[in-house]
């Protein structure tokens, strides 16, 4: 069974990247994004890279200057990045009674095609040069009723995607491969 869970016919592909400048702000598609292990996607929900740490010299009387960075909501938690299965967009549209559903409407960060996202739950995988760890399913929120209309919440149930934490940061770009690395890494 382990072999079946870790075998994929091909790599997936990063189809789309979306960032929200604030909590209820519109999702803005971007061609690339910086991903940081302590923050997630730089620019999503106003997140910025944490300031560089200054080492103390150990001199007597040295005063530690407080950092300028505000606490990061969610911190290095389980929901730094949200992913959505590209192949589920037509299914969600059909269930919502719509011609089409764009990834922006579902408010996720990354749209992945060609590899089953749920197979990446509790596993590590690479998106371009970034390593992520699937931490759980990303369930729909009540905003789906606003964006997709009545029944939108239920149309997304079971198709909401995956949450992940950043293990190793870097730059991701639309078109980057998505490759399974190892199972059972998340806890």
């Amino acid at each position: 069974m382990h072999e079946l869970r870790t075998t994929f016919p091909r790599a997936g592909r990063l189809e789309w990247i979306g960032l929200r400048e604030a909590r209820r702000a519109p999702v803005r598609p971007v061609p690339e994004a910086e991903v940081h292990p302590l923050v997630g996607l730089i620019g999503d929900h106003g997140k910025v890279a944490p300031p560089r740490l200054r080492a103390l010299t150990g001199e007597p009387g040295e005063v530690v200057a407080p950092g300028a960075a505000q606490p990061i909501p969610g911190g290095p938690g389980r929901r730094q990045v949200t992913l959505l299965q590209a192949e589920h967009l037509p299914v969600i549209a059909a269930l919502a009674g719509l011609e089409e559903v764009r990834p922006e409407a579902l408010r996720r960060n990354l749209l992945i095609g060609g590899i089953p996202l749920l197979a990446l739950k509790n596993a590590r995988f690479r998106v371009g040069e970034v390593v992520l760890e699937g931490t759980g399913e990303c369930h729909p929120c009540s905003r789906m009723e606003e964006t997709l209309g009545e029944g939108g919440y239920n149309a997304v149930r079971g198709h909401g995607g995956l949450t992940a934490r950043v293990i190793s940061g870097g730059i991701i770009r639309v078109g980057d491969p998505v490759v399974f690395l190892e199972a059972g890494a998340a806890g």
Side-chain angles (χ1 to χ4, degrees), residues 77-96:
R78 301 172 56 83
R79 199 179 162 96
Q80 291 178 312
V81 181
T82 56
L83 302 93
L84 183 66
Q85 184 80 52
E87 291 81 357
H88 288 192
L89 289 176
V91 174
I92 294 167
L95 294 172

Side-chain angles (χ1 to χ4, degrees), residues 42-54:
I42 302 296
D44 191 46
H45 285 102
K47 294 175 187 167
V48 296
R52 295 187 70 123
L53 299 176
R54 295 188 335 195

Side-chain angles (χ1 to χ4, degrees), residues 32-147:
E32 67 179 36
E34 182 180 353
V35 184
H36 193 283
L38 295 176
V39 178
L41 274 72
I42 302 296
D44 191 46
H45 285 102
K47 294 175 187 167
V48 296
R52 295 187 70 123
L53 299 176
R54 295 188 335 195
L56 297 175
T57 62
E59 298 293 326
E62 185 171 12
V63 177
V64 179
Q70 297 297 314
I72 301 163
R78 301 172 56 83
R79 199 179 162 96
Q80 291 178 312
V81 181
T82 56
L83 302 93
L84 183 66
Q85 184 80 52
E87 291 81 357
H88 288 192
L89 289 176
V91 174
I92 294 167
L95 294 172
L98 301 171
E99 291 280 325
E100 174 186 47
V101 171
R102 303 278 312 140
E104 295 91 337
L106 300 174
R107 310 191 60 73
R108 303 296 187 255
N109 298 125
L110 308 179
L111 184 67
I112 306 296
I115 191 168
L117 278 184
L118 283 183
L120 302 177
K121 181 179 171 184
N122 298 324
R124 288 190 178 180
F125 54 98
R126 181 179 304 282
V127 179
E129 64 185 43
V130 170
V131 176
L132 301 176
E133 184 175 72
T135 57
E137 293 180 44
C138 192
H139 301 290
C141 67
S142 62
R143 297 261 339 254
M144 295 303 98
E145 295 290 308
E146 294 173 31
T147 58

Side-chain angles (χ1 to χ4, degrees), residues 16-21 25-30 43 104:
W16 176 90
I17 303 169
L19 302 176
R20 300 153 294 196
E21 293 177 6
V27 178
R28 179 177 50 92
V30 296
E104 295 91 337

